[in-house]
Amino acid sequence: MKLVTADQMRALEQRADANGNSFATMMERAGQAVADAILARWGAHPRVLVLVGPGNNGGDGLVCARYLHDAGASVSLYLWKRAPRSDDDNYRLCFERHLPTLRAEYDTDLVALKHVLGETDILVDALLGTGVTRAIEGTLAELLGAIKTTSPQRAITELVPSAVHSAPRPIVAVDLPTGLDPDTGALDPAALAADLTVTFALPKIGHVTFPGAQAVGELVVADIGIAAEWADANALAVATAHEIAAMLPARARDSHKGTFGKALLCVGSSNYIGAAFLAGSACARAGAGLVTLALARTIYPHIASTLHEATFVSLPDDGGALIPTAATVLGNQASAYDVLLCGCGLGRYWRTLEFVRQAIALRGDAAARNVIDADALFALAQISRWWKCLAPNTTILTPHPGEMATLTGLTRDQVQADRVNVAKKFAALWQQIVVLKGAFTVIAAPDGRATLLPFATPALATAGTGDVLAGTITAMLAQKLSPFDAAVAGAYVHGLAGALAEREIGAAGVVAGDLLARLPTAIRQIQKSSAG
């Protein structure tokens, strides 16, 4: 699903109107979609206060109010800079239903607002939407401040299937939370943080760009009759469950382990035994048919005693760290596998770095497919023009921002300040797939494609989750997905597993091992969401 700016969205609306889907019809669909989302989550009988602004966003709010009232909810209106007019059909329809209405210009010291907030179960923010153009001040700032003092705020952002959250008094944003810039993600200090945001046709860049993303809450994208294919084909995309379901390989009943690919994982060292276990387990849990771990001889017994489903290749080592002679052994084995993962937990012993350099040099065959992670990325950074050692579009690189800084010569802050463009620039230079990890992970391809993942959860900010990600992506690549699709699908499954863990365990206390059993659950939920 493509991401758009406010101007691009307006252009799409104008095109839809010109093709017979009138602005009035789109507003009707938008308001109904917000009401439907509220009713699906909180039932038909809540007490709802709709904050109504002066533009189209306010019109969407009025339509929402009408649908909620007709469904049995108790609905009140609070109008800011929206005087009742004879040509405002949406207000007229609310007036005919005798919806209680307050107007900000008559509400001295916001006494009436504060009173009605005390009797409100759900607050609908239809004040500005994409209409934010300057700093919020004056009456609107006071209005939002009054709401904050009486409405507990909470914000978690995830565009995932079946994500249902609750809050003491949920705030539902129409299109965008008031104060969120749709193009940059800038967030006004006065902005409201929503628990649920219902946007229309396509998500906006600001929905998935910090700091504004933290105010979005659960994000729902509603269909209002605008064709998705009208969006710029080269625009940044955000992954959806439906798209990922289409990527996942079918699993026929007469399959065998070879059907789902053979993965060789060169991982682990004496200091990072857990990395080998996590990557190998994730690869198996994410569907690879055969998982083989190429391990330093010293640590082999420790992993073999805990990871019973894998097979093993024993490599020469020095006290649990791989050494250059191991590259030849690995190279002799690798040709029998569909994909090689190299890096998780290898360490940075100088002889291990030389091993990685030699192993990568042996992977120059155009048929070779690779995932390079962690310490192997550090080893790459020591090689001048390392990307010339690999055939184009055969390798998935999975750096976190610090590793990306090492690979590119940028600072970490420079990487983080322009994550999408940095990932796209170096994917094109290196002619490989880049998975720039972090909140809203970016996957970039050499041909200019880029996709954001809709996950930003602190549950994944813990040691070992990167090893699980590398193993999951490797499994997808082993199952014959293209490198770009394998990166997107694997990272989405991993991100959803993290979101599930957060929901079940909490934002704190999730460990990397908690993701392993949730990988199959995430895959099943993606498939179920698409089928539904």
Side-chain angles (χ1 to χ4, degrees):
M1 180 179 290
K2 299 298 183 181
L3 292 163
V4 295
T5 65
D7 284 345
Q8 289 169 337
M9 190 68 241
R10 280 189 280 272
L12 292 174
E13 291 170 346
Q14 290 167 0
R15 182 174 177 180
D17 181 68
N19 279 270
N21 183 13
S22 69
F23 287 107
T25 299
M26 287 186 281
M27 183 174 289
E28 186 75 10
R29 289 171 172 169
Q32 183 178 5
V34 178
D36 288 345
I38 292 170
L39 296 170
R41 285 156 180 76
W42 294 289
H45 301 289
R47 298 172 297 177
V48 182
L49 176 62
V50 182
L51 305 174
V52 182
N56 290 338
N57 195 249
D60 297 338
L62 290 170
V63 175
C64 170
R66 169 163 46 91
Y67 276 97
L68 288 173
H69 171 272
D70 292 352
S74 175
V75 183
S76 300
L77 305 176
Y78 192 90
L79 276 55
W80 171 75
K81 285 193 174 181
R82 193 181 189 101
R85 302 192 318 265
S86 59
D87 62 344
D88 189 344
D89 289 339
N90 289 314
Y91 177 77
R92 176 182 56 78
L93 291 170
C94 289
F95 179 79
E96 290 174 355
R97 286 164 170 76
H98 306 293
L99 299 189
T101 301
L102 300 169
R103 293 175 61 182
E105 63 265 38
Y106 301 140
D107 187 13
T108 305
D109 296 328
L110 303 175
V111 172
L113 173 64
K114 294 173 184 177
H115 174 76
V116 74
L117 283 171
E119 300 177 345
T120 296
D121 299 318
I122 298 169
L123 186 67
V124 176
D125 171 11
L127 289 167
L128 288 180
T130 58
V132 59
T133 56
R134 57 181 183 271
I136 293 174
E137 54 190 12
T139 302
L140 181 57
E142 295 172 5
L143 188 159
L144 298 178
I147 293 167
K148 288 182 180 181
T149 61
T150 57
S151 298
Q153 297 283 288
R154 192 179 66 84
I156 300 171
T157 303
E158 52 191 2
L159 182 63
V160 300
S162 304
V164 179
H165 303 294
S166 61
R169 184 184 294 125
I171 295 177
V172 179
V174 178
D175 202 12
L176 286 133
T178 292
L180 170 60
D181 188 299
D183 297 342
T184 68
L187 193 65
D188 192 284
L192 287 181
D195 297 277
L196 169 67
T197 296
V198 182
T199 195
F200 313 117
L202 295 165
K204 317 307 178 288
I205 292 171
H207 285 133
V208 290
T209 304
F210 283 103
Q214 64 189 342
V216 171
E218 180 194 349
L219 180 61
V220 171
V221 182
D223 178 15
I224 58 170
I226 294 176
E229 57 267 24
W230 289 351
D232 184 351
N234 295 319
L236 181 65
V238 60
T240 68
H242 180 76
E243 292 164 348
I244 301 304
M247 295 177 186
L248 295 176
R251 301 184 75 87
R253 292 187 179 275
D254 61 349
S255 302
H256 54 83
K257 63 188 177 192
T259 304
F260 304 118
K262 298 187 293 183
L264 179 63
L265 285 62
C266 183
V267 290
S269 62
S270 57
N271 289 332
Y272 304 106
I273 294 174
F277 172 82
L278 290 168
S281 297
C283 192
R285 288 285 189 177
L290 174 65
V291 178
T292 298
L293 271 62
L295 302 172
R297 288 193 182 111
T298 301
I299 70 169
Y300 157 72
H302 303 285
I303 301 301
S305 65
T306 57
L307 188 55
H308 304 140
E309 298 82 5
T311 60
F312 297 90
V313 173
S314 180
L315 300 177
D317 71 329
D318 178 5
L322 293 176
I323 57 178
T325 54
T328 301
V329 180
L330 181 70
N332 291 337
Q333 294 288 330
S335 60
Y337 290 83
D338 298 298
V339 57
L340 170 67
L341 165 61
C342 184
C344 305
L346 288 182
R348 297 185 180 181
Y349 177 42
W350 70 269
R351 298 183 75 188
T352 302
L353 297 181
E354 179 58 31
F355 155 78
V356 173
R357 287 193 285 268
Q358 293 188 23
I360 295 301
L362 294 171
R363 298 296 288 175
D365 185 346
R369 307 175 96 201
N370 315 289
V371 179
I372 301 180
D373 182 61
D375 295 320
L377 293 171
F378 179 81
L380 285 187
Q382 317 310 308
I383 306 170
S384 177
R385 299 175 66 83
W386 56 265
W387 54 93
K388 296 296 184 180
C389 300
L390 298 166
N393 206 37
T394 59
T395 299
I396 300 171
L397 309 167
T398 59
H400 59 54
E403 291 162 344
M404 192 66 175
T406 300
L407 284 167
T408 62
L410 301 172
T411 67
R412 188 183 186 280
D413 287 345
Q414 287 173 321
V415 171
Q416 287 294 80
D418 196 14
R419 287 170 53 83
V420 172
N421 288 323
V422 167
K424 291 176 67 174
K425 173 183 176 180
F426 287 96
L429 173 64
W430 299 333
Q431 287 295 291
Q432 308 297 347
I433 305 301
V434 172
V435 178
L436 180 53
K437 296 185 288 193
F440 304 122
T441 288
V442 183
I443 299 97
D447 61 7
R449 286 177 294 166
T451 294
L452 289 183
L453 294 187
F455 303 101
T457 169
L460 293 176
T462 186
T465 57
D467 304 317
V468 176
L469 172 62
T472 305
I473 290 174
T474 299
M476 297 299 166
L477 195 57
Q479 293 173 82
K480 310 301 189 297
L481 274 69
S482 71
F484 184 75
D485 285 355
V488 173
Y492 190 100
V493 168
H494 172 267
L496 179 53
L500 293 171
E502 180 187 6
R503 205 171 304 156
E504 296 166 23
I505 299 171
V510 174
V511 296
D514 292 327
L515 303 182
L516 297 174
R518 290 173 173 83
L519 292 173
T521 303
I523 292 171
R524 185 174 67 250
Q525 188 162 320
I526 290 165
Q527 293 169 329
K528 181 179 178 182
S529 175
S530 178

Short mmCIF file of all heavy atoms in Angstrom, two decimals, residues 464-520:
data_model
loop_
_atom_site.label_atom_id
_atom_site.label_comp_id
_atom_site.label_asym_id
_atom_site.label_seq_id
_atom_site.Cartn_x
_atom_site.Cartn_y
_atom_site.Cartn_z
N GLY A 464 18.93 -10.02 20.77
CA GLY A 464 18.57 -11.29 20.15
C GLY A 464 17.44 -11.22 19.15
O GLY A 464 17.29 -12.13 18.33
N THR A 465 16.66 -10.14 19.18
CA THR A 465 15.54 -10.07 18.23
C THR A 465 16.06 -9.92 16.79
O THR A 465 15.40 -10.36 15.85
CB THR A 465 14.59 -8.92 18.57
OG1 THR A 465 15.30 -7.68 18.59
CG2 THR A 465 13.93 -9.13 19.92
N GLY A 466 17.23 -9.31 16.63
CA GLY A 466 17.82 -9.23 15.30
C GLY A 466 18.21 -10.59 14.75
O GLY A 466 18.13 -10.83 13.54
N ASP A 467 18.63 -11.50 15.64
CA ASP A 467 18.95 -12.86 15.21
C ASP A 467 17.69 -13.59 14.75
O ASP A 467 17.71 -14.32 13.75
CB ASP A 467 19.61 -13.63 16.36
CG ASP A 467 20.84 -12.94 16.90
OD1 ASP A 467 21.65 -12.47 16.08
OD2 ASP A 467 20.98 -12.85 18.13
N VAL A 468 16.59 -13.35 15.45
CA VAL A 468 15.32 -13.94 15.05
C VAL A 468 14.90 -13.38 13.68
O VAL A 468 14.42 -14.12 12.81
CB VAL A 468 14.23 -13.67 16.11
CG1 VAL A 468 12.88 -14.20 15.65
CG2 VAL A 468 14.62 -14.32 17.44
N LEU A 469 15.08 -12.09 13.49
CA LEU A 469 14.74 -11.47 12.20
C LEU A 469 15.57 -12.09 11.08
O LEU A 469 15.03 -12.45 10.02
CB LEU A 469 14.98 -9.97 12.26
CG LEU A 469 14.85 -9.21 10.93
CD1 LEU A 469 13.44 -9.33 10.38
CD2 LEU A 469 15.23 -7.75 11.11
N ALA A 470 16.87 -12.21 11.27
CA ALA A 470 17.74 -12.76 10.23
C ALA A 470 17.32 -14.19 9.88
O ALA A 470 17.27 -14.56 8.70
CB ALA A 470 19.19 -12.73 10.69
N GLY A 471 17.00 -14.98 10.88
CA GLY A 471 16.56 -16.35 10.62
C GLY A 471 15.24 -16.41 9.89
O GLY A 471 15.03 -17.26 9.01
N THR A 472 14.33 -15.49 10.22
CA THR A 472 13.02 -15.46 9.58
C THR A 472 13.15 -15.06 8.11
O THR A 472 12.52 -15.67 7.22
CB THR A 472 12.09 -14.48 10.33
OG1 THR A 472 12.03 -14.83 11.71
CG2 THR A 472 10.70 -14.50 9.74
N ILE A 473 13.94 -14.05 7.83
CA ILE A 473 14.16 -13.63 6.44
C ILE A 473 14.83 -14.75 5.65
O ILE A 473 14.48 -15.02 4.49
CB ILE A 473 15.00 -12.35 6.40
CG1 ILE A 473 14.17 -11.16 6.91
CG2 ILE A 473 15.50 -12.07 4.99
CD1 ILE A 473 14.94 -9.86 7.04
N THR A 474 15.78 -15.43 6.27
CA THR A 474 16.46 -16.55 5.61
C THR A 474 15.48 -17.64 5.23
O THR A 474 15.55 -18.22 4.13
CB THR A 474 17.56 -17.11 6.53
OG1 THR A 474 18.52 -16.08 6.80
CG2 THR A 474 18.28 -18.29 5.89
N ALA A 475 14.53 -17.92 6.10
CA ALA A 475 13.52 -18.93 5.80
C ALA A 475 12.70 -18.54 4.59
O ALA A 475 12.38 -19.38 3.73
CB ALA A 475 12.60 -19.14 7.01
N MET A 476 12.33 -17.28 4.49
CA MET A 476 11.55 -16.81 3.33
C MET A 476 12.37 -16.91 2.05
O MET A 476 11.85 -17.30 0.99
CB MET A 476 11.08 -15.38 3.57
CG MET A 476 10.13 -15.21 4.74
SD MET A 476 8.61 -16.17 4.53
CE MET A 476 7.96 -16.10 6.21
N LEU A 477 13.64 -16.57 2.12
CA LEU A 477 14.50 -16.65 0.94
C LEU A 477 14.69 -18.10 0.53
O LEU A 477 14.71 -18.43 -0.67
CB LEU A 477 15.84 -15.99 1.24
CG LEU A 477 16.74 -15.65 0.05
CD1 LEU A 477 16.02 -14.75 -0.94
CD2 LEU A 477 18.03 -14.98 0.54
N ALA A 478 14.80 -19.00 1.50
CA ALA A 478 14.94 -20.43 1.19
C ALA A 478 13.70 -20.97 0.50
O ALA A 478 13.79 -21.91 -0.31
CB ALA A 478 15.20 -21.22 2.48
N GLN A 479 12.55 -20.37 0.78
CA GLN A 479 11.29 -20.84 0.19
C GLN A 479 11.01 -20.20 -1.17
O GLN A 479 9.87 -20.19 -1.63
CB GLN A 479 10.14 -20.57 1.16
CG GLN A 479 10.25 -21.42 2.44
CD GLN A 479 9.22 -21.03 3.48
OE1 GLN A 479 8.06 -21.45 3.43
NE2 GLN A 479 9.63 -20.21 4.44
N LYS A 480 12.07 -19.69 -1.79
CA LYS A 480 12.05 -19.24 -3.19
C LYS A 480 11.37 -17.90 -3.41
O LYS A 480 11.03 -17.56 -4.55
CB LYS A 480 11.41 -20.30 -4.11
CG LYS A 480 11.95 -21.72 -3.94
CD LYS A 480 13.43 -21.82 -4.19
CE LYS A 480 13.92 -23.26 -4.23
NZ LYS A 480 13.75 -23.99 -2.97
N LEU A 481 11.16 -17.11 -2.37
CA LEU A 481 10.72 -15.74 -2.59
C LEU A 481 11.88 -14.95 -3.19
O LEU A 481 13.04 -15.26 -2.96
CB LEU A 481 10.27 -15.08 -1.29
CG LEU A 481 8.81 -15.31 -0.86
CD1 LEU A 481 8.58 -16.75 -0.45
CD2 LEU A 481 8.45 -14.37 0.30
N SER A 482 11.56 -13.92 -3.96
CA SER A 482 12.61 -13.04 -4.45
C SER A 482 13.28 -12.38 -3.26
O SER A 482 12.68 -12.26 -2.18
CB SER A 482 12.02 -11.97 -5.36
OG SER A 482 11.27 -11.03 -4.61
N PRO A 483 14.53 -11.91 -3.40
CA PRO A 483 15.18 -11.27 -2.25
C PRO A 483 14.38 -10.13 -1.64
O PRO A 483 14.29 -10.03 -0.41
CB PRO A 483 16.51 -10.80 -2.84
CG PRO A 483 16.81 -11.79 -3.92
CD PRO A 483 15.46 -12.10 -4.52
N PHE A 484 13.78 -9.27 -2.47
CA PHE A 484 13.01 -8.16 -1.91
C PHE A 484 11.78 -8.67 -1.18
O PHE A 484 11.50 -8.26 -0.04
CB PHE A 484 12.61 -7.19 -3.02
CG PHE A 484 11.88 -5.97 -2.51
CD1 PHE A 484 12.56 -4.96 -1.87
CD2 PHE A 484 10.51 -5.83 -2.69
CE1 PHE A 484 11.90 -3.82 -1.41
CE2 PHE A 484 9.84 -4.71 -2.23
CZ PHE A 484 10.53 -3.70 -1.59
N ASP A 485 11.03 -9.57 -1.80
CA ASP A 485 9.83 -10.10 -1.15
C ASP A 485 10.19 -10.88 0.11
O ASP A 485 9.45 -10.83 1.11
CB ASP A 485 9.05 -11.00 -2.11
CG ASP A 485 8.29 -10.21 -3.17
OD1 ASP A 485 8.29 -8.96 -3.09
OD2 ASP A 485 7.70 -10.84 -4.07
N ALA A 486 11.29 -11.62 0.08
CA ALA A 486 11.71 -12.37 1.26
C ALA A 486 12.02 -11.42 2.41
O ALA A 486 11.66 -11.69 3.57
CB ALA A 486 12.93 -13.23 0.94
N ALA A 487 12.67 -10.31 2.10
CA ALA A 487 13.00 -9.33 3.14
C ALA A 487 11.73 -8.71 3.71
O ALA A 487 11.58 -8.57 4.94
CB ALA A 487 13.92 -8.26 2.57
N VAL A 488 10.81 -8.31 2.84
CA VAL A 488 9.57 -7.67 3.30
C VAL A 488 8.72 -8.66 4.09
O VAL A 488 8.24 -8.35 5.19
CB VAL A 488 8.78 -7.10 2.11
CG1 VAL A 488 7.41 -6.59 2.56
CG2 VAL A 488 9.56 -5.98 1.43
N ALA A 489 8.51 -9.86 3.54
CA ALA A 489 7.65 -10.84 4.21
C ALA A 489 8.26 -11.29 5.53
O ALA A 489 7.57 -11.37 6.55
CB ALA A 489 7.42 -12.04 3.29
N GLY A 490 9.56 -11.59 5.53
CA GLY A 490 10.21 -12.04 6.76
C GLY A 490 10.18 -10.98 7.83
O GLY A 490 9.90 -11.26 9.01
N ALA A 491 10.46 -9.74 7.45
CA ALA A 491 10.47 -8.67 8.44
C ALA A 491 9.06 -8.38 8.95
O ALA A 491 8.87 -8.04 10.13
CB ALA A 491 11.09 -7.41 7.83
N TYR A 492 8.05 -8.51 8.09
CA TYR A 492 6.67 -8.29 8.53
C TYR A 492 6.25 -9.37 9.53
O TYR A 492 5.66 -9.07 10.59
CB TYR A 492 5.71 -8.27 7.34
CG TYR A 492 4.31 -7.82 7.70
CD1 TYR A 492 3.90 -6.52 7.43
CD2 TYR A 492 3.41 -8.67 8.31
CE1 TYR A 492 2.63 -6.09 7.77
CE2 TYR A 492 2.13 -8.26 8.65
CZ TYR A 492 1.74 -6.96 8.39
OH TYR A 492 0.47 -6.54 8.75
N VAL A 493 6.54 -10.63 9.21
CA VAL A 493 6.19 -11.72 10.12
C VAL A 493 6.88 -11.51 11.47
O VAL A 493 6.26 -11.67 12.54
CB VAL A 493 6.57 -13.08 9.50
CG1 VAL A 493 6.49 -14.20 10.54
CG2 VAL A 493 5.68 -13.40 8.31
N HIS A 494 8.14 -11.14 11.43
CA HIS A 494 8.89 -10.88 12.66
C HIS A 494 8.28 -9.71 13.44
O HIS A 494 8.09 -9.79 14.66
CB HIS A 494 10.34 -10.57 12.28
CG HIS A 494 11.21 -10.09 13.40
ND1 HIS A 494 11.38 -8.75 13.68
CD2 HIS A 494 11.97 -10.76 14.29
CE1 HIS A 494 12.20 -8.63 14.71
NE2 HIS A 494 12.57 -9.83 15.10
N GLY A 495 7.93 -8.63 12.74
CA GLY A 495 7.33 -7.48 13.41
C GLY A 495 5.99 -7.80 14.03
O GLY A 495 5.69 -7.36 15.15
N LEU A 496 5.18 -8.58 13.33
CA LEU A 496 3.88 -8.97 13.88
C LEU A 496 4.07 -9.88 15.09
O LEU A 496 3.33 -9.77 16.08
CB LEU A 496 3.03 -9.66 12.82
CG LEU A 496 1.65 -10.14 13.26
CD1 LEU A 496 0.85 -9.02 13.91
CD2 LEU A 496 0.87 -10.72 12.08
N ALA A 497 5.05 -10.77 15.05
CA ALA A 497 5.34 -11.60 16.22
C ALA A 497 5.70 -10.73 17.41
O ALA A 497 5.29 -10.99 18.55
CB ALA A 497 6.47 -12.58 15.90
N GLY A 498 6.46 -9.66 17.17
CA GLY A 498 6.79 -8.73 18.24
C GLY A 498 5.56 -8.02 18.78
O GLY A 498 5.42 -7.83 19.99
N ALA A 499 4.66 -7.61 17.87
CA ALA A 499 3.43 -6.94 18.30
C ALA A 499 2.55 -7.89 19.13
O ALA A 499 1.95 -7.49 20.12
CB ALA A 499 2.66 -6.44 17.08
N LEU A 500 2.49 -9.16 18.71
CA LEU A 500 1.73 -10.15 19.47
C LEU A 500 2.34 -10.35 20.85
O LEU A 500 1.62 -10.45 21.86
CB LEU A 500 1.70 -11.48 18.72
CG LEU A 500 0.92 -11.51 17.40
CD1 LEU A 500 1.15 -12.82 16.66
CD2 LEU A 500 -0.57 -11.31 17.66
N ALA A 501 3.67 -10.39 20.92
CA ALA A 501 4.34 -10.57 22.21
C ALA A 501 4.07 -9.38 23.12
O ALA A 501 3.82 -9.54 24.32
CB ALA A 501 5.84 -10.77 21.99
N GLU A 502 4.11 -8.18 22.56
CA GLU A 502 3.82 -7.00 23.37
C GLU A 502 2.40 -7.05 23.91
O GLU A 502 2.15 -6.74 25.07
CB GLU A 502 4.01 -5.73 22.54
CG GLU A 502 3.72 -4.47 23.35
CD GLU A 502 3.74 -3.21 22.52
OE1 GLU A 502 3.87 -3.30 21.29
OE2 GLU A 502 3.60 -2.12 23.11
N ARG A 503 1.47 -7.45 23.05
CA ARG A 503 0.07 -7.50 23.46
C ARG A 503 -0.14 -8.52 24.57
O ARG A 503 -0.94 -8.31 25.48
CB ARG A 503 -0.79 -7.85 22.24
CG ARG A 503 -2.22 -7.38 22.31
CD ARG A 503 -2.91 -7.58 20.97
NE ARG A 503 -2.19 -6.90 19.92
CZ ARG A 503 -2.25 -7.23 18.64
NH1 ARG A 503 -2.99 -8.24 18.26
NH2 ARG A 503 -1.57 -6.54 17.74
N GLU A 504 0.56 -9.64 24.50
CA GLU A 504 0.34 -10.72 25.46
C GLU A 504 1.20 -10.59 26.71
O GLU A 504 0.79 -11.04 27.79
CB GLU A 504 0.64 -12.06 24.78
CG GLU A 504 -0.30 -12.37 23.62
CD GLU A 504 0.21 -13.53 22.76
OE1 GLU A 504 1.00 -14.33 23.27
OE2 GLU A 504 -0.19 -13.61 21.58
N ILE A 505 2.39 -10.00 26.59
CA ILE A 505 3.33 -9.94 27.71
C ILE A 505 3.47 -8.53 28.24
O ILE A 505 3.50 -8.31 29.45
CB ILE A 505 4.71 -10.49 27.27
CG1 ILE A 505 4.58 -11.95 26.84
CG2 ILE A 505 5.74 -10.35 28.40
CD1 ILE A 505 5.83 -12.52 26.19
N GLY A 506 3.59 -7.56 27.32
CA GLY A 506 3.78 -6.18 27.72
C GLY A 506 4.92 -5.55 26.95
O GLY A 506 5.70 -6.23 26.30
N ALA A 507 5.02 -4.24 27.04
CA ALA A 507 6.08 -3.53 26.32
C ALA A 507 7.44 -3.84 26.92
O ALA A 507 8.46 -3.80 26.22
CB ALA A 507 5.82 -2.03 26.35
N ALA A 508 7.50 -4.13 28.21
CA ALA A 508 8.74 -4.52 28.86
C ALA A 508 8.66 -6.00 29.25
O ALA A 508 7.59 -6.51 29.58
CB ALA A 508 8.97 -3.67 30.10
N GLY A 509 9.80 -6.66 29.19
CA GLY A 509 9.85 -8.05 29.63
C GLY A 509 9.83 -9.07 28.50
O GLY A 509 10.05 -10.26 28.74
N VAL A 510 9.55 -8.66 27.28
CA VAL A 510 9.62 -9.57 26.13
C VAL A 510 11.09 -9.86 25.85
O VAL A 510 11.92 -8.95 25.82
CB VAL A 510 8.96 -8.96 24.88
CG1 VAL A 510 9.18 -9.84 23.67
CG2 VAL A 510 7.47 -8.73 25.12
N VAL A 511 11.43 -11.14 25.67
CA VAL A 511 12.78 -11.53 25.27
C VAL A 511 12.71 -12.17 23.89
O VAL A 511 11.64 -12.58 23.42
CB VAL A 511 13.43 -12.49 26.29
CG1 VAL A 511 13.61 -11.80 27.62
CG2 VAL A 511 12.60 -13.76 26.45
N ALA A 512 13.86 -12.24 23.24
CA ALA A 512 13.88 -12.70 21.85
C ALA A 512 13.25 -14.08 21.70
O ALA A 512 12.56 -14.36 20.72
CB ALA A 512 15.31 -12.70 21.33
N GLY A 513 13.48 -14.95 22.66
CA GLY A 513 12.91 -16.30 22.58
C GLY A 513 11.40 -16.31 22.58
O GLY A 513 10.79 -17.27 22.08
N ASP A 514 10.77 -15.24 23.10
CA ASP A 514 9.31 -15.17 23.09
C ASP A 514 8.76 -15.06 21.68
O ASP A 514 7.59 -15.37 21.44
CB ASP A 514 8.83 -13.96 23.91
CG ASP A 514 9.12 -14.10 25.39
OD1 ASP A 514 9.07 -15.24 25.90
OD2 ASP A 514 9.39 -13.08 26.03
N LEU A 515 9.57 -14.60 20.75
CA LEU A 515 9.10 -14.43 19.38
C LEU A 515 8.99 -15.75 18.63
O LEU A 515 8.20 -15.88 17.70
CB LEU A 515 10.05 -13.51 18.60
CG LEU A 515 10.31 -12.12 19.16
CD1 LEU A 515 11.22 -11.35 18.23
CD2 LEU A 515 9.01 -11.36 19.38
N LEU A 516 9.79 -16.75 19.04
CA LEU A 516 9.90 -17.97 18.24
C LEU A 516 8.57 -18.68 18.06
O LEU A 516 8.18 -19.01 16.94
CB LEU A 516 10.94 -18.90 18.86
CG LEU A 516 12.37 -18.34 18.92
CD1 LEU A 516 13.28 -19.28 19.69
CD2 LEU A 516 12.90 -18.09 17.51
N ALA A 517 7.87 -18.93 19.15
CA ALA A 517 6.59 -19.63 19.05
C ALA A 517 5.52 -18.76 18.40
O ALA A 517 4.50 -19.28 17.92
CB ALA A 517 6.12 -20.07 20.43
N ARG A 518 5.75 -17.45 18.38
CA ARG A 518 4.76 -16.54 17.80
C ARG A 518 4.96 -16.34 16.30
O ARG A 518 4.10 -15.73 15.65
CB ARG A 518 4.79 -15.21 18.55
CG ARG A 518 4.23 -15.34 19.97
CD ARG A 518 4.40 -14.08 20.80
NE ARG A 518 3.72 -14.21 22.08
CZ ARG A 518 4.23 -14.81 23.16
NH1 ARG A 518 5.44 -15.35 23.10
NH2 ARG A 518 3.53 -14.90 24.29
N LEU A 519 6.06 -16.80 15.74
CA LEU A 519 6.24 -16.68 14.29
C LEU A 519 5.18 -17.46 13.52
O LEU A 519 4.54 -16.90 12.61
CB LEU A 519 7.65 -17.14 13.89
CG LEU A 519 8.81 -16.25 14.37
CD1 LEU A 519 10.14 -16.92 14.05
CD2 LEU A 519 8.74 -14.87 13.74
N PRO A 520 4.91 -18.74 13.84
CA PRO A 520 3.83 -19.44 13.15
C PRO A 520 2.46 -18.80 13.39
O PRO A 520 1.62 -18.77 12.50
CB PRO A 520 3.89 -20.87 13.72
CG PRO A 520 5.26 -21.01 14.28
CD PRO A 520 5.64 -19.65 14.76
#
